[in-house]
Amino acid sequence: EDDDIEDDEEEITSTTNKVADIKIDLPEDSREHVNLVFLGHVDAGKSTLSGSIMVLTGQVDSHTLAKYEREAKENHRESWIFAYIMDTNEEERTKGKTVEVGRAHFETEKKRFTILDAPGHRLYVPNMIVGAAQADVGILVVSSKKGEFEAGVDGGQTVEHARLAKMIGLKQLVIFVNKMDEPSVQWSKERYDEIVEKLSVHLKKCGWNLKKDVQFIPGSGYGTLNVKDPLKPGVCSWYNGPSLIGTLDNLPPIERNIEGALRIPITTSYKDRGIVNVIGKVESGTISVGQSIHIMPGKYKVDVVSLTGDICSFKTARPGENITIALKGIEDDVIRPGSILAEINRPVPVVSEIEAIVYILDLPEERKLFSPDFTSIFHAHTAVEDVRVKSLIATIDMKTNEEKKQKPTFCKVGDAVKCRLILGRPVCLEEFSVNPQLSRFTLRDSTKTIAFGKVVNIGKKAREAI
Ligand code: GDP
């Protein structure tokens, strides 16, 4: 009988009932969770490769695949079947929800993966930074086709993405040398070696440690060759390394800040049957069902009702998990871009003036100098704010990190500079030495990435306030 239920138990049941309806109660899964982002020049084959991964790892069943094949044929997109899957899934996934960053997931023997900012998404290029900011591992897809590799490297996005990936803090880069099945390539060892050699030079310049953090794999996303199963004899005589998925499965565990204060930048929020759900990656610390936490800025106190990953539920979620969190005690209109879930006892600083080191990548045609009063848009985790340069403190030697010229009057593309920045509204930020993931940012205008930076000093007042 109902009367038998203890009071406090009943209270919990009645508030979680609605959630129980919509959340499938999934078992916990202890496999490591890794966040992936696909990078690379347009037409390198990112959509195709991610679609083929979805099919090969069983995320698309044969019935659905047949339906997609039929539809792709009707739309004269047969050769785009895998890319088509990503496009279509994207639309279906977002139906009824405000998902701004497309996501997909798959799993291997030892790991669970979330594909952030799944390619095929219309706003892929501008959003790449949001996706990459949360990613642990980048898959840089390069086309080996004659002319295409060259276009991607000379002025294309291949090197720019590799550089951004390093700056944003990705731990590992897996380079998939794609389209090896092309008639102009035919699994040529010479072509593959040429690509590895040329890219290696660029990657080194971007700061990548080639021995430790970079791996190259030849393959074909479209032909599903060396994607999941290792290459069959006769396809390619000179490669006997692991496949792409084999490589991902065996990546060294990502170092996580489990002891740190809880920080979850919110990428998306939506209301489902009266319950506010937010999606985000645990950047540091842990979060548990039943815990009270703050939404910052604003210090809104909320209780955690449930934690759900792509394929499992959690009582406690650790850093690296990308989860949907059902919250009790708020309306969704208190959440805005840049909102963070933070521990109550170890609050996140909310600051409007910072000292930062900024690397200038590109400047708008009409504003070729980076100097005081330069304005742009500041993107950190999910925050977007207007920003103005207050003063330049010193130029920085990128190799030694030492200060060179004090108080320069302006800086140019290629320079690194320590400077003070003023934000339009306060943003949740931490110093690089405390939490790199909450210190990294990019400066953009409407079309391009102007600079990349990290917060080095939030000021004594802000430190003491927390
Ligand atoms: P994205 O812009 O990087 O997402 O590239 P897409 O996945 O849309 O692919 C661009 C083009 O390259 C399409 O015409 C694909 O069919 C083709 N393509 C992709 N992967 C391969 C491959 O492994 N081999 C060959 N020959 N073509 C491919």
Side-chain angles (χ1 to χ4, degrees), residues 95-271:
K95 221 179 270 170
K97 286 184 191 172
T98 28
V99 177
E100 279 151 18
V101 180
R103 295 148 55 102
H105 75 269
F106 65 96
E107 54 201 282
T108 58
E109 204 181 303
K110 297 180 209 152
K111 293 183 166 76
R112 291 171 288 125
F113 292 92
T114 295
I115 303 177
L116 296 162
D117 204 4
H121 197 258
R122 293 277 151 252
L123 298 168
Y124 184 56
V125 176
N127 266 1
M128 171 259 172
I129 291 177
V130 179
Q134 287 194 22
D136 308 301
V137 175
I139 299 180
L140 178 64
V141 183
V142 298
S143 170
S144 60
K145 193 172 170 179
K146 209 167 171 198
E148 285 190 357
F149 169 72
E150 286 72 15
V153 168
D154 304 325
Q157 283 143 6
T158 308
V159 181
E160 193 200 344
H161 281 186
R163 184 189 299 119
L164 278 170
K166 180 69 199 172
M167 289 177 162
I168 280 172
L170 269 71
K171 303 287 187 292
Q172 299 271 332
L173 193 62
V174 175
I175 295 162
F176 193 73
V177 181
N178 194 26
K179 309 197 188 181
M180 291 296 291
D181 61 331
E182 263 292 314
S184 71
V185 183
Q186 292 183 42
W187 298 91
S188 153
K189 183 174 189 310
E190 286 68 35
R191 178 60 168 165
Y192 179 75
D193 288 345
E194 180 195 356
I195 288 170
V196 171
E197 204 174 299
K198 286 197 173 147
L199 265 186
S200 295
V201 175
H202 287 290
L203 293 172
K204 236 189 225 159
K205 280 194 202 153
C206 298
W208 284 101
N209 182 331
L210 292 180
K211 280 214 182 79
K212 257 182 61 205
D213 303 329
V214 179
Q215 303 189 59
F216 288 89
I217 299 155
S220 161
Y222 184 64
T224 65
L225 295 169
N226 214 19
V227 177
K228 182 164 187 260
D229 296 326
L231 289 170
K232 290 200 178 69
V235 177
C236 170
S237 59
W238 47 267
Y239 183 83
N240 47 24
S243 68
L244 175 61
I245 289 177
T247 303
L248 293 174
D249 201 21
N250 284 305
L251 287 177
I254 312 282
E255 267 179 46
R256 310 277 190 196
N257 182 7
I258 192 164
E259 304 295 335
L262 172 67
R263 304 288 185 249
I264 305 177
I266 299 174
T267 43
T268 303
S269 72
Y270 62 93
K271 210 169 187 170

Side-chain angles (χ1 to χ4, degrees), residues 41-48 79-80 83 178-179 181-182 220-223:
H41 195 60
V42 60
D43 282 350
K46 299 176 291 294
S47 309
T48 305
S79 69
W80 286 59
N178 194 26
K179 309 197 188 181
D181 61 331
E182 263 292 314
S220 161
Y222 184 64

Side-chain angles (χ1 to χ4, degrees), residues 196-372:
V196 171
E197 204 174 299
K198 286 197 173 147
L199 265 186
S200 295
V201 175
H202 287 290
L203 293 172
K204 236 189 225 159
K205 280 194 202 153
C206 298
W208 284 101
N209 182 331
L210 292 180
K211 280 214 182 79
K212 257 182 61 205
D213 303 329
V214 179
Q215 303 189 59
F216 288 89
I217 299 155
S220 161
Y222 184 64
T224 65
L225 295 169
N226 214 19
V227 177
K228 182 164 187 260
D229 296 326
L231 289 170
K232 290 200 178 69
V235 177
C236 170
S237 59
W238 47 267
Y239 183 83
N240 47 24
S243 68
L244 175 61
I245 289 177
T247 303
L248 293 174
D249 201 21
N250 284 305
L251 287 177
I254 312 282
E255 267 179 46
R256 310 277 190 196
N257 182 7
I258 192 164
E259 304 295 335
L262 172 67
R263 304 288 185 249
I264 305 177
I266 299 174
T267 43
T268 303
S269 72
Y270 62 93
K271 210 169 187 170
D272 201 340
R273 301 183 214 184
I275 297 275
V276 173
N277 287 268
V278 301
I279 303 179
K281 178 190 169 195
V282 186
E283 290 292 0
S284 56
T286 58
I287 181 169
S288 300
V289 173
Q291 190 179 352
S292 294
I293 52 174
H294 273 159
I295 296 178
M296 299 289 284
K299 275 198 183 173
Y300 302 99
K301 193 172 164 206
V302 289
D303 294 331
V304 178
V305 177
S306 69
L307 301 166
T308 314
D310 287 327
I311 56 163
C312 57
S313 303
F314 303 93
K315 286 194 191 75
T316 296
R318 300 149 67 91
E321 295 293 351
N322 220 308
I323 43 176
T324 301
I325 306 153
L327 295 171
K328 188 169 74 172
I330 48 149
E331 293 301 314
D332 57 355
D333 58 12
V334 307
I335 297 165
R336 58 175 170 91
S339 289
I340 282 193
L341 299 181
E343 214 169 297
I344 293 178
N345 293 336
R346 291 188 279 180
V348 62
V350 181
V351 294
S352 51
E353 187 171 330
I354 51 169
E355 206 170 285
I357 293 179
V358 167
Y359 304 89
I360 303 160
L361 302 170
D362 201 351
L363 286 165
E365 213 35 67
E366 61 296 346
R367 298 190 291 156
K368 278 288 176 206
L369 300 177
F370 188 83
S371 55

Side-chain angles (χ1 to χ4, degrees), residues 412-433:
K412 293 194 297 245
V413 169
D415 290 342
V417 61
K418 191 193 244 184
C419 55
R420 294 194 77 77
L421 301 175
I422 296 185
L423 297 158
R425 283 182 301 177
V427 177
C428 296
L429 292 169
E430 289 185 292
E431 292 172 1
F432 190 79
S433 58

